[in-house]
Amino acid sequence: MTNNSSFIKAMALFLAVISMVFSFTACDFRPEPPEEDAFSLVIDFAQTTVKVGDKVTYKAILKNSEDESYTLQHTLKPIYISVVKSEDYSDEKVVYSPYAETNIAPHGQIEEFCEFKPTEKGEYILYVFADFSIEGKDTTKDYEYECEKITITVV
């Protein structure tokens, strides 16, 4: 009789766990957006002197310092990285209309790369920024990060 009683208790516990999982799914469980310092944006490598014709790859990394995963809502991509001639640089950010989502794991990161192969000498600017939103159960929060601009000299 005790084996039957243990089985019934185990089955009741199993069914309770299953119903909790379904209730979280049905309630659209999402964590609330974290504070701004939960994320950081860095440039992994920045070679500042390049020869004409040489190819250099720059990498930007958006890091999540939280124990929670999040869905980032953004336009074309969450991180923008680009190299432009100094005289063509503008602080104005371009906003694209297609909306996308990217998941970032707990303590995870998202990387974006930019290949630069200059064809003429001069001064260039490497700039990196991230722009996204996180929608929680009750609130939505916007995030914007920008790295310090780096001057690249092409010789």
Side-chain angles (χ1 to χ4, degrees):
M1 206 46 130
T2 51
N3 282 346
N4 195 20
S5 175
S6 296
F7 175 76
I8 291 172
K9 287 180 183 177
M11 186 57 84
L13 180 61
F14 174 75
L15 291 174
V17 169
I18 292 296
S19 69
M20 284 178 21
V21 168
F22 282 121
S23 69
F24 279 136
T25 305
C27 293
D28 192 24
F29 178 75
R30 286 181 292 208
E32 287 304 309
E35 296 300 316
E36 286 81 10
D37 63 355
F39 300 101
S40 60
L41 181 65
V42 296
I43 298 172
D44 184 47
F45 173 72
Q47 183 175 343
T48 57
T49 303
V50 180
K51 292 181 182 176
V52 170
D54 284 355
K55 183 168 77 171
V56 180
T57 301
Y58 297 104
K59 178 168 80 170
I61 304 168
L62 178 69
K63 297 179 181 182
N64 175 8
S65 65
E66 297 288 302
D67 293 329
E68 197 72 56
S69 66
Y70 296 99
T71 299
L72 311 182
Q73 298 174 337
H74 50 85
T75 53
L76 199 54
K77 50 191 173 180
I79 304 170
Y80 296 86
I81 179 171
S82 185
V83 178
V84 296
K85 285 198 93 128
S86 294
E87 60 266 16
D88 296 335
Y89 175 76
S90 168
D91 276 334
E92 189 173 316
K93 294 176 178 65
V94 177
V95 177
Y96 298 96
S97 57
Y99 218 65
E101 291 184 343
T102 302
N103 292 319
I104 189 167
H107 300 282
Q109 62 186 35
I110 298 170
E111 299 174 351
E112 187 68 36
F113 298 89
C114 174
E115 286 188 356
F116 176 55
K117 186 175 180 180
T119 57
E120 57 185 77
K121 295 179 181 183
E123 296 292 315
Y124 293 78
I125 302 289
L126 168 66
Y127 69 100
V128 175
F129 72 92
D131 190 8
F132 57 90
S133 298
I134 296 178
E135 183 179 339
K137 183 179 177 199
D138 297 321
T139 61
T140 298
K141 190 170 188 168
D142 297 326
Y143 299 83
E144 193 171 309
Y145 302 90
E146 188 171 359
C147 290
E148 191 171 317
K149 293 159 194 63
I150 296 174
T151 301
I152 300 169
T153 304
V154 177
V155 293

